[in-house]
Amino acid sequence: MAEFDRGPTDGLAALFARVPDPPVTSAFWFDWGPVFYRGRLDGSARVLIVASDPGPTERIAGRSLVGNAGQRVQGFLTKLGLTRSYVCLNAWAYALHPGEASAMEGRLGEPAQRQWRNSVFDRATDTTLQAVVAMGFLAQEAVRLWTARPPVTLVEVPHPSNPNTAALLDAWRDAVALLRPLVTPDEDGDNTGPTYGTAFEESDYGAIPRRDLPFGAPAFLGDDAWVRAGPGGAQNAVRRPSPDDGHTLIWKAPG
């Protein structure tokens, strides 16, 4: 039987449903609703990835870190030997307009936001957790505000979409080297392969596993290798057109 994500437990679904509205609606891509997680919510995760906020592909999938950035994260997890024992969360459950990210860093500490987010972090992790990786400044602030964070290694690295590719790869290369001795690989994983060179190669990406996506997701969702291989430098099959980026998505399937 094909693997697929059966969704959160009733308790976690109830917690997700209590997500507070963003503090400043105009800063957020609000009308499409929140996106909460990807990966294991049953406490079996050995690594927690925290990123910033969902994007267009994440809205299609209803799962976090599925687009080009998420496929880079999947490649990062693959280099740690993890094929399933991870969970991916975000600082914000609602998508930010890119230019508003810095302005929203300080709002992560508002009591309703902090309490709800910390409850999600608490419920999504257990004693099996071996490391937390905070990707980008919003994620790093959210983790700093996590009062009950387990006493495991915290690694802070640039967000996978950071435009300074050299700094991103240097930090991710160091993070892989640091985490490999600390994180137990999955039985079908391998943490002995190459890490990162001076540019992202297609081998540095990972297709999102079917077990992380809802039943019925098309086979190409979460694998944009065909987009990256095309001309023009496109990276995602889903985009928000300007100026109507708050209400319209354009999703292209491979030919």
Side-chain angles (χ1 to χ4, degrees), residues 101-186:
S102 295
M104 290 299 100
E105 180 180 5
R107 309 302 290 268
L108 288 167
E110 293 183 355
Q113 301 291 339
R114 184 181 68 247
Q115 181 179 2
W116 177 84
R117 186 180 58 250
N118 285 352
S119 295
V120 172
F121 287 2
D122 291 343
R123 290 285 296 274
T125 56
D126 209 333
T127 56
T128 56
L129 193 69
Q130 296 174 332
V132 176
V133 183
M135 295 185 164
F137 67 92
L138 289 175
Q140 290 155 18
E141 176 65 5
V143 171
R144 187 186 70 80
L145 294 167
W146 184 12
T147 52
R149 178 169 63 87
V152 299
T153 296
L154 168 63
V155 179
E156 296 183 338
V157 296
H159 190 274
S161 296
N162 191 298
N164 187 339
T165 304
L168 171 59
L169 288 168
D170 286 346
W172 281 29
R173 187 185 308 112
D174 290 345
V176 169
L178 173 65
L179 291 171
R180 277 180 166 176
L182 305 178
V183 174
T184 305
D186 285 319

Side-chain angles (χ1 to χ4, degrees), residues 32-235:
W32 290 89
V35 177
F36 298 106
Y37 77 99
R38 178 166 71 82
R40 313 287 82 74
L41 291 172
D42 59 1
S44 65
R46 297 181 190 133
V47 169
L48 165 62
I49 300 287
V50 182
S52 58
D53 65 302
T57 309
E58 285 71 32
R59 181 60 277 165
I60 292 289
R63 297 294 183 271
S64 298
L65 287 170
V66 175
N68 187 75
Q71 291 161 47
R72 287 181 173 183
V73 170
Q74 198 64 34
F76 177 90
L77 292 165
T78 298
K79 293 177 191 296
L80 298 181
L82 295 180
T83 61
R84 66 183 67 228
S85 299
Y86 53 80
V87 63
C88 303
L89 304 172
N90 276 315
W92 290 108
Y94 286 92
L96 276 161
H97 294 293
E100 301 286 352
S102 295
M104 290 299 100
E105 180 180 5
R107 309 302 290 268
L108 288 167
E110 293 183 355
Q113 301 291 339
R114 184 181 68 247
Q115 181 179 2
W116 177 84
R117 186 180 58 250
N118 285 352
S119 295
V120 172
F121 287 2
D122 291 343
R123 290 285 296 274
T125 56
D126 209 333
T127 56
T128 56
L129 193 69
Q130 296 174 332
V132 176
V133 183
M135 295 185 164
F137 67 92
L138 289 175
Q140 290 155 18
E141 176 65 5
V143 171
R144 187 186 70 80
L145 294 167
W146 184 12
T147 52
R149 178 169 63 87
V152 299
T153 296
L154 168 63
V155 179
E156 296 183 338
V157 296
H159 190 274
S161 296
N162 191 298
N164 187 339
T165 304
L168 171 59
L169 288 168
D170 286 346
W172 281 29
R173 187 185 308 112
D174 290 345
V176 169
L178 173 65
L179 291 171
R180 277 180 166 176
L182 305 178
V183 174
T184 305
D186 285 319
E187 291 184 0
D188 55 346
D190 178 14
N191 68 353
T192 63
T195 57
Y196 294 100
T198 58
F200 272 106
E201 306 291 342
E202 189 57 41
S203 58
D204 295 322
Y205 290 82
I208 306 305
R210 297 296 96 186
R211 69 176 68 94
D212 286 4
L213 298 173
F215 182 82
F220 61 86
L221 181 61
D223 185 0
D224 290 324
W226 64 278
V227 180
R228 292 186 290 270
Q235 296 181 320

